[in-house]
Amino acid sequence: MILPIYIYGQPVLRKVAEDIPADMPGLADLIKDMFETLAESDGIGLAAPQVGKAIRVVVIDLDVISDDLPEYKGFRKAYVNPHILEYDESKTETMEEGCLSLPGIHENVTRPTRIRVSYLDDALQPHEEWVEGYLARVMQHEFDHLEGKVFVDRISPLRKQLVKSKLRAIMQGRFRCGYKAKGAARR
């Protein structure tokens, strides 16, 4: 089932997500629905808060970019209760990021290129590993959602000023996207 993507201004996007019990009813269905929603919206990552649930579940599908990054051919994973344990700050990289919850906004974000993470996979097996490169960036972006953050929180104060009117417009429902979305309640 295609779920609506919650747009900037929705309170759930600013909540710190909760760890869930491994036997949470409906978890497999939620993961399946999140992958369907991700595919329908042409994204590469989706966190549960982006579909209105303040729980620690993320899906990432990098197969869609495997023409440019062949190492991600067939890469499609769900992460349950993920946490970043450590950032290797010795090397960072700046790249443009966008977000399904912030339609029309793209900004350069600097992030470490290597992180240590823990999570359960979709079979609920625990993992702890170092992740590098583009996957590390995508994980940081998606896991930020679980901490109540969005990528514009990580841009320079000057750039924040420059996107302020775009963010206000999104919160007022003035945005376009090619997927099912749930905008902020108008005040």
Side-chain angles (χ1 to χ4, degrees), residues 52-83:
K53 302 194 178 307
I55 58 174
R56 297 186 81 86
V57 177
V58 166
V59 297
I60 296 175
D61 182 352
L62 296 182
D63 185 60
V64 296
I65 60 167
S66 63
D67 286 348
D68 294 324
L69 298 169
E71 64 269 30
Y72 295 117
K73 183 78 179 145
F75 188 98
R76 190 177 135 105
K77 271 184 148 179
Y79 300 87
V80 177
N81 296 338
H83 292 274

Side-chain angles (χ1 to χ4, degrees), residues 2 10 38 41 101 110-111 115 127 137 141 146-148 151 159 174 180:
I2 307 298
Q10 282 284 345
L38 183 62
S41 59
S101 292
T110 302
R111 297 188 186 269
I115 56 172
H127 297 268
R137 171 170 296 275
H141 177 106
L146 305 179
E147 302 302 330
F151 79 93
R159 292 304 308 167
R174 296 190 330 258
K180 193 169 158 185

Side-chain angles (χ1 to χ4, degrees), residues 95-135:
M95 283 180 105
E96 185 177 86
E97 292 187 18
C99 182
L100 296 172
S101 292
L102 288 97
I105 297 179
H106 295 86
E107 288 292 325
N108 285 327
V109 179
T110 302
R111 297 188 186 269
T113 59
R114 188 169 175 258
I115 56 172
R116 189 166 61 96
V117 297
S118 68
Y119 62 91
L120 301 176
D121 61 25
D122 56 358
L124 304 175
Q125 295 303 305
H127 297 268
E128 186 177 305
E129 62 194 26
W130 282 96
V131 179
E132 299 184 38
Y134 194 69
L135 177 58

Side-chain angles (χ1 to χ4, degrees), residues 8 102 105 107 152 155-172 174:
Y8 185 82
L102 288 97
I105 297 179
E107 288 292 325
V152 292
I155 62 177
S156 73
L158 174 62
R159 292 304 308 167
K160 273 187 198 163
Q161 272 307 116
L162 294 172
V163 299
K164 201 175 206 171
S165 63
K166 288 181 182 179
L167 293 172
R168 193 171 319 129
I170 288 172
M171 289 177 65
Q172 293 169 347
R174 296 190 330 258

Side-chain angles (χ1 to χ4, degrees), residues 77-97:
K77 271 184 148 179
Y79 300 87
V80 177
N81 296 338
H83 292 274
I84 296 176
L85 304 174
E86 189 177 345
Y87 295 89
D88 178 354
E89 302 278 356
S90 65
K91 185 175 178 209
T92 61
E93 185 174 51
T94 302
M95 283 180 105
E96 185 177 86
E97 292 187 18

